Amino acid sequence: MTLTATAKPVSPQPGARPSAAYRTWRTLSPYAFVAPFFTLFAAFGLFPLIYTAFVSLYRVELQTPGEMEWRGLGNYTALFGDEIFWTALRNTFTIGVLSTVPQLVMALGLAHLLNYRLRGRTFLRTAMLLPYATSVAAATLVFAQLFGRDFGLINYVLGLVGFGPVDWQAGTVASQIAVSTIVVWRWTGYNALIYLAGMQTIPSELYEAAAMDGASRWRQFIHVTLPGLRPTILFTVVVSTIGATQLFGEPLLFEGSISGGISHQYQTLGLYMYEQGWGFFHLGRAAAIAWVMFLLILVLVGVNALIAHRRSRKEAGR
């Protein structure tokens, strides 16, 4: 039986000059450690992004994906001339605002309460993640029953206080509020734990100094907690904005229609892209929508970063 041994770079002795193999190993080893990530990113992130941009310039049908007809920017011009696209864009914005603002405000308040020494706070922190761990399909189907027009619990409670039944799936504002409620329920606890982690990094000496100066808990929250959480708040705003732009599961399962209601009253850009690609079989048009969503996310993230940068410069100049 023959035994083979592989050579391994040996660390040089103190005072000795490193060998060429050791210097090469020291230079290339960091790239070897990060290579798996970049390989997977190139295969499942970068390549689909580039290929989607390529497909968006052609007319491609789902039935015949091998037959591609050059259209240039024709898919984009047809998209911007489609009234339903602008409806989906407006719905994406309104649902994003209705879900993101209450979600982050509630998460900030819950994190502030959990930051105090409460009984059972470990259980409460764990319970915060239960909605996030719940399947979006299960959560949406349950909320669809709660918002039912005839036998829904929400309309039953409204009837107890003197309000008539609301058709949560037919009305524009009502349906968008219902979809936003699902998003708020699922993501509030997740953001609350992120805020809680940020609050625990704020030095306790700042709170002690504020208390010695006679600041109430509300003033401590305004003048100590919020400034210390500014990077965390910016992070959650950016992530929530991206999530709102890509919203898909909740509006799809709320009524089970890819059109987002009879009059597209709660159809988002993600649902509109799915309708074009897998409902009408226009893969080229769907690819163009995907790139519009990608550019929209870049613009929104850039605006958030610009606002944060200007505010930090303004405060630094005080």
Side-chain angles (χ1 to χ4, degrees):
M1 181 175 61
T2 304
L3 299 177
T4 58
T6 57
K8 181 180 180 180
V10 181
S11 302
Q13 298 296 327
R17 184 176 181 180
S19 63
Y22 180 77
R23 293 197 302 269
T24 303
W25 177 76
R26 286 290 302 270
T27 303
L28 298 180
S29 59
Y31 298 98
F33 291 132
V34 300
F37 166 76
F38 285 101
T39 302
L40 293 175
F41 173 74
F44 300 102
L46 187 60
F47 172 74
L49 183 66
I50 297 175
Y51 186 73
T52 301
F54 171 77
V55 172
S56 68
L57 302 177
Y58 288 84
R59 178 179 181 180
V60 186
E61 301 298 323
L62 184 62
Q63 304 94 325
T64 56
E67 300 178 7
M68 305 177 68
E69 178 184 346
W70 172 260
R71 293 200 63 188
L73 298 178
N75 285 326
Y76 293 93
T77 56
L79 187 66
F80 295 141
D82 188 358
E83 183 180 351
I84 300 179
F85 166 76
W86 296 107
T87 302
L89 180 61
R90 183 172 61 252
N91 293 340
T92 302
F93 176 77
T94 54
I95 294 176
V97 173
L98 289 173
S99 61
T100 300
V101 175
Q103 171 192 152
L104 297 184
V105 172
M106 292 171 59
L108 194 59
L110 290 173
H112 185 63
L113 292 176
L114 291 176
N115 198 31
Y116 291 104
R117 294 184 177 180
L118 302 175
R119 290 185 178 180
R121 60 177 180 174
T122 302
F123 169 77
L124 294 176
R125 292 174 182 178
T126 305
M128 285 289 182
L129 279 179
L130 291 180
Y132 172 71
T134 305
S135 168
V136 60
T140 305
L141 292 176
V142 170
F143 272 89
Q145 297 298 320
L146 293 177
F147 284 103
R149 183 188 62 181
D150 298 323
F151 304 103
L153 180 61
I154 304 298
N155 279 343
Y156 173 76
V157 174
L158 291 177
L160 294 178
V161 295
F163 291 95
V166 179
D167 194 345
W168 295 99
Q169 294 181 344
T172 300
V173 178
S175 60
Q176 292 181 5
I177 291 176
V179 173
S180 301
T181 303
I182 307 172
V183 180
V184 171
W185 180 82
R186 291 195 68 237
W187 291 96
T188 298
Y190 174 83
N191 288 305
L193 291 183
I194 293 179
Y195 287 148
L196 179 61
M199 289 178 183
Q200 293 179 346
T201 63
I202 301 175
S204 59
E205 291 81 4
L206 297 178
Y207 291 101
E208 294 174 359
M212 291 179 63
D213 290 338
S216 62
R217 286 190 174 183
W218 173 250
R219 288 190 172 273
Q220 292 178 26
F221 177 76
I222 296 297
H223 298 288
V224 178
T225 304
L226 289 183
L229 280 181
R230 186 165 295 134
T232 308
I233 293 175
L234 177 61
F235 169 78
T236 56
V237 168
V238 170
V239 172
S240 299
T241 301
I242 295 174
T245 306
Q246 298 176 336
L247 194 62
F248 174 75
E250 289 83 352
L252 174 64
L253 298 173
F254 182 62
E255 191 183 5
S257 171
I258 62 176
S259 61
I262 300 176
S263 57
H264 306 274
Q265 64 268 19
Y266 59 91
Q267 185 180 47
T268 59
L269 285 176
L271 203 55
Y272 178 64
M273 177 184 67
Y274 184 84
E275 181 186 42
Q276 291 294 321
W278 283 263
F280 300 148
F281 311 127
H282 303 322
L283 293 184
R285 181 79 66 87
I289 300 170
W291 257 87
V292 169
M293 293 172 60
F294 174 70
L295 296 177
L296 179 62
I297 290 173
L298 290 182
V299 171
L300 294 176
V301 172
V303 169
N304 285 328
L306 181 62
I307 294 175
H309 179 68
R310 287 187 174 181
R311 186 162 185 174
S312 61
R313 288 185 58 184
K314 182 179 179 180
E315 294 183 352
R318 290 179 180 176

